[in-house]
Amino acid sequence: MSQNLLRPEVLITIVVACLITFFVTRWGMKRKEHATVAEKSEPIKAPEPTTDVLAVFEQSLAILQSYKQHLNQYGYPYFKETTPFVLQQLQAEADSLVTEQARENQKAQTLLLDNIAQLQRFMEQEVTDSKKLELEVSNHVNKTIITWRKLIKEFSNQ
């Protein structure tokens, strides 16, 4: 019996089975870690009130770019788990903008709040096709990023 186990083809089969088990387990653990990222995140810290529209848009743009990257990487489960946190972050950024001082600040805050409202509508939609919803959200985020980059250029040129 032990002679049969020591043959090269049996040893190679055992090694291959062990390697497959190792890599499948490792892959499963990594997926589980990524799925629980939203649970481990810390509470949203409110930014300081500011009249600097440029700073608010840059921070909001950074949030959206990170969201877009992770949405493309992890798909619908990431959207479902993380969008409420992203909305809270964006709302905190919009709330930090002091609008009493300048009319352009009011316009900027309106743009920020419109984006938040659109993302909330995506969250409230009944999901019939998760891939379609994921593409719609990604398209919206891409358009918003492009618009905000243009606005940042305009504000920095003023």
Side-chain angles (χ1 to χ4, degrees), residues 103-142:
R103 187 174 179 93
E104 69 181 31
N105 287 8
Q106 291 174 344
K107 290 178 185 177
Q109 189 174 39
T110 302
L111 285 171
L112 291 167
L113 294 175
D114 287 346
N115 179 53
I116 292 168
Q118 182 61 36
L119 285 174
Q120 284 176 335
R121 282 193 290 275
F122 284 128
M123 278 295 298
E124 295 165 358
Q125 276 184 10
E126 188 172 315
V127 179
T128 54
D129 184 7
S130 63
K131 195 66 175 171
K132 181 181 176 189
L133 180 63
E134 182 184 329
L135 288 173
E136 287 175 355
V137 171
S138 184
N139 186 31
H140 169 72
V141 170
N142 284 335

Side-chain angles (χ1 to χ4, degrees), residues 7-97:
R7 290 193 347 232
E9 45 290 342
V10 173
L11 291 174
I12 290 174
T13 304
I14 292 171
V15 169
V16 168
C18 289
L19 286 173
I20 289 173
T21 304
F22 171 76
F23 286 117
V24 167
T25 305
R26 187 171 161 207
W27 174 75
M29 295 298 279
K30 282 187 178 182
R31 275 187 70 127
K32 187 176 181 181
E33 284 177 19
H34 291 304
T36 59
V37 166
E39 296 171 8
K40 294 180 183 178
S41 65
E42 58 189 43
I44 305 302
K45 295 178 185 173
E48 295 292 321
T50 183
T51 58
D52 187 7
V53 177
L54 190 59
V56 172
F57 268 117
E58 286 176 346
Q59 185 60 33
S60 297
L61 182 63
I63 292 168
L64 278 180
Q65 286 174 329
S66 173
Y67 178 67
K68 175 189 149 194
Q69 178 187 9
H70 289 99
L71 181 64
N72 289 339
Q73 189 173 5
Y74 303 117
Y76 180 73
Y78 180 82
F79 167 77
K80 189 175 180 181
E81 293 284 326
T82 312
T83 301
F85 299 110
V86 171
L87 288 172
Q88 288 176 356
Q89 288 177 326
L90 291 172
Q91 185 68 48
E93 288 297 327
D95 292 344
S96 73
L97 188 60

